Amino acid sequence: SAVISQKPSRDICQRGTSLTIQCQVDSQVTMMFWYRQQPGQSLTLIATANQGSEATYESGFVIDKFPISRPNLTFSTLTVSNMSPEDSSIYLCSVDPWGGSMNTEAFFGQGTRLTVV
Amino acid sequence: AQKITQTQPGMFVQEKEAVTLDCTYDTSDQSYGLFWYKQPSSGEMIFLIYQGSYDEQNATEGRYSLNFQKARKSANLVISASQLGDSAMYFCAMRVLSGNEKLTFGTGTRLTIIP
């Protein structure tokens, strides 16, 4: 299994500002994933973060809006930039500790509940 | 591309009854895995059960079982003897062998257990 610590758990931010979310894993993992869950919606993958390379963004998400860092195999950050009320969501980081195996579950952080006012 | 469909936005079930949450999927990959996650109001994602595309038997984990019908491309979650603590959002998800470890989620079902 993997234990993921995600910070902050929640925040209320002013529009136009930026928030950086941190994700710390208790073991080394190759890939870390960042998801967004808008109110009442499902999880949508923002990007996949590999250590030592640029993150891979899904359609509809861009690096300028959601810059990601992955300085080592246990840590990643997601920044939500120039926020607007539409960015109000739960943001979750996720890992698969047995990377590359199809039949292993992904583990999630506790989520960051962001409200933009 | 993969797609997960959950057609029940909300369900109400009497405590101690069994409940089935529907999930259908679409993929052209032959190798894939199907997952169910529970999300309480606190927001965390809790893994419940897994079914592989080549598994011949339905998966079971305690009160959770997965009714896997490959020809129909369905992977319904069955919760037996429901409890008040089962009230939550439930998401069906899929990962394919060629999908670079990404999970594709359905829209979820909000389950409410009535005392």
Side-chain angles (χ1 to χ4, degrees), chain A residues 35-50:
Chain A
Y35 289 88
R36 181 178 74 181
Q37 186 179 22
Q38 294 176 301
Q41 304 295 314
S42 185
L43 281 74
T44 302
L45 183 65
I46 297 171
T48 303
N50 291 334

Side-chain angles (χ1 to χ4, degrees), chain A residues 78-105:
Chain A
L78 169 76
T79 299
V80 186
S81 303
N82 188 24
M83 288 183 285
S84 67
E86 291 70 35
D87 294 319
S88 298
S89 298
I90 298 174
Y91 293 85
L92 298 113
C93 69
S94 173
V95 304
D96 181 348
W98 298 277
S101 175
M102 186 183 62
N103 63 346
T104 54
E105 71 267 28

Side-chain angles (χ1 to χ4, degrees), chain B residues 13-106:
Chain B
V13 173
Q14 205 74 38
E15 189 180 7
K16 299 181 183 177
E17 290 185 351
V19 56
T20 297
L21 305 182
D22 294 340
C23 172
T24 57
Y25 59 92
D26 189 26
T27 180
S28 57
D29 283 65
Q30 297 300 310
S31 298
Y32 51 87
L34 296 156
F35 303 79
W36 278 93
Y37 283 86
K38 172 184 178 181
Q39 187 181 42
S41 56
S42 55
E44 78 246 52
M45 296 289 285
I46 302 169
F47 165 73
L48 296 178
I49 196 167
Y50 163 83
Q51 180 84 40
S53 58
Y54 296 114
D55 293 342
E56 295 185 351
Q57 291 191 333
N58 288 340
T60 61
E61 289 286 348
R63 294 188 299 113
Y64 304 107
S65 61
L66 201 151
N67 184 1
F68 182 46
Q69 298 188 40
K70 193 171 182 177
R72 295 185 176 184
K73 293 190 174 181
S74 74
N76 298 338
L77 176 70
V78 180
I79 306 174
S80 63
S82 58
Q83 303 171 355
L84 295 178
D86 294 332
S87 294
M89 282 290 289
Y90 289 80
F91 292 98
C92 181
M94 176 169 62
R95 177 190 288 150
V96 299
L97 188 63
S98 60
N100 198 27
E101 302 182 41
K102 292 188 287 189
L103 278 171
T104 300
F105 285 86

